[in-house]
Amino acid sequence: IAEDTLDLLQHVKFQSSNFENILTWDSGLESAPDTVYSVEYKTYGEREWLAKEGCQQITRKSCNLTVETGNVTELYYARVTATSAGGRSATKMTDRFSSLQHTTIKPPDVTCIPKVRSIQMIIHPTSTPIRTGDGRRLTLEDIFQDLFYRLELHVNQTYQMYLAGPKKEYEFMGLTPDTEFLGTITISVPTWSKESAPYVCRVKTLPDRTWTY
Amino acid sequence: GQEFQFGSCRVEGVVLQELWAAFRAVKDVVQAQDNITGVRLLRKEVLQNVSDAESCYLIQALLKFYLDTVFKNYHGKAAEFRILKSFSTLANNFIAITSRLRPSQENEMFSISESARRRFLLFQREFKQLDVEAALTKAFGEVDILLTWMEKFYQ
């Protein structure tokens, strides 16, 4: 008998980061360790629920639905059925899920290259699990047209330098040799009001070995 | 600043992020009321592969419907769910957009406007097949689908 009981299952939701979509849930207040869970999902607008292979009768409390929810123009639902050893069960559904709206952005991958009087920062494209029709993996830059980077260099307590833009390579110039700097780089997507946590690099400019006569 | 360019129809002075912020504030409350998960009003056939020229006719028809039917009749529910602030922000911005749309009325645009009308009728027919209250809730809950489509024309 299916009962919607809070004590078996709660907080069924998607956690999405860079379009990696993981369904998670919590056991209920009185769930026994031998409670098993089964996951189904569907596209919003379709009638049929589909069982997620690999997430049937499992005891863990998460299930990777990245592939199944991989079309960014679609919206999805997922639901979990918890069944206790005694045969009681409960089913709970997620809110309507859109990876475009819900995914959070991870910090970018950056190479910080110190030179004598400058620091170069090279931002590497962030690939996602989303693929085009011909199988090519899309990057965040492909998906979000207005994505740009915000770079900050902390020179000292009171002085920072800023650079920003959509391109991948930047250089902070006019720095003091043989000095440590803290760089932070974030990804920003204005239209979707998304901003990543910063990537942080601590680098020291090279000593100036040129002799002045 | 940014503006909407629905083909030759240009609309300035509307900030898409504000519409998103307004809807995001109410999305879960509204969509949780819609338990007909097997029906989607703004289906792919309505919004996919819309040409620039067609987009002005389609957005005008959709926003007019949202204002004249959805917002007009969902106001009571919005008050009940205490989401009037977001509701008004969306409605006022839809009014602002429709008031600035000037789709061409020239004869050679007839086939394009007809194509847009057929798309709109798909949406309207799906809406009419549902019980009124369910249809209003579903349509308002699909504003994110509409905004996602509108974003393609936001330059």
Side-chain angles (χ1 to χ4, degrees), chain A:
Chain A
I1 308 161
E3 282 165 77
D4 192 357
T5 48
L6 195 63
D7 59 359
L8 270 180
L9 182 62
Q10 47 185 349
H11 311 143
V12 178
K13 61 177 183 277
F14 278 98
Q15 314 248 23
S16 179
S17 184
N18 283 15
F19 295 98
E20 188 89 25
N21 307 326
I22 312 295
L23 182 69
T24 64
W25 57 90
D26 292 324
S27 51
L29 312 176
E30 293 166 30
S31 270
D34 53 5
T35 300
V36 291
Y37 307 96
S38 294
V39 171
E40 294 169 297
Y41 64 94
K42 79 170 186 173
T43 302
Y44 172 55
E46 303 287 339
R47 294 185 193 282
E48 200 190 343
W49 286 93
L50 304 170
K52 162 63 180 167
E53 212 180 302
C55 295
Q56 300 302 307
Q57 308 284 305
I58 56 175
T59 53
R60 68 174 188 278
K61 293 191 258 302
S62 70
C63 174
N64 191 323
L65 287 174
T66 297
V67 172
E68 291 77 12
T69 56
N71 183 336
V72 295
T73 64
E74 292 289 1
L75 300 110
Y76 298 93
Y77 284 97
R79 67 184 181 187
V80 179
T81 300
T83 309
S84 71
R88 285 189 310 124
S89 72
T91 298
K92 275 212 172 358
M93 189 170 74
T94 63
D95 287 332
R96 193 177 303 168
F97 172 72
S98 152
S99 55
L100 261 183
Q101 292 177 51
H102 292 104
T103 206
T104 58
I105 307 291
K106 292 180 184 171
D109 177 20
V110 184
T111 303
C112 298
I113 304 168
K115 299 182 179 177
V116 178
R117 293 181 184 284
S118 68
I119 293 173
Q120 189 183 13
M121 294 185 180
I122 300 174
I123 302 168
H124 307 289
T126 309
S127 85
T128 74
I130 309 287
R131 291 176 185 275
T132 57
D134 56 10
R136 181 178 68 88
R137 268 180 185 265
L138 291 180
T139 64
L140 289 178
E141 293 77 6
D142 294 326
I143 297 169
F144 296 119
Q145 307 297 311
D146 61 340
L147 181 148
F148 72 98
Y149 305 100
R150 228 192 286 268
L151 302 90
E152 206 174 301
L153 192 73
H154 298 259
V155 182
N156 54 42
Q157 291 299 333
T158 55
Y159 180 45
Q160 291 94 33
M161 296 169 78
Y162 295 97
L163 292 171
K167 62 188 177 93
K168 297 278 189 307
E169 294 196 15
Y170 300 82
E171 191 157 1
F172 288 99
M173 316 285 284
L175 305 179
T176 310
D178 202 17
T179 306
E180 189 168 85
F181 296 90
L182 182 75
T184 64
I185 305 98
T186 56
I187 296 176
S188 196
V189 184
T191 294
W192 296 94
S193 305
K194 295 180 191 292
E195 181 146 309
S196 73
Y199 174 89
V200 179
C201 65
R202 192 178 294 273
V203 282
K204 192 170 188 179
T205 47
L206 305 181
D208 185 355
R209 299 205 187 286
T210 57
W211 288 84
T212 51
Y213 296 96

Side-chain angles (χ1 to χ4, degrees), chain B residues 8 53-54 57 104-114:
Chain B
S8 60
E54 221 179 324
Y57 299 98
S104 160
Q105 302 304 325
E106 285 152 26
N107 287 338
E108 70 258 25
M109 295 298 277
F110 178 75
S111 65
I112 289 175
S113 65
E114 265 310 289

Side-chain angles (χ1 to χ4, degrees), chain B residues 92-104:
Chain B
N92 293 332
N93 276 280
F94 280 14
I95 291 170
I97 295 170
T98 48
S99 66
R100 293 169 204 165
L101 290 173
R102 294 285 178 279
S104 160

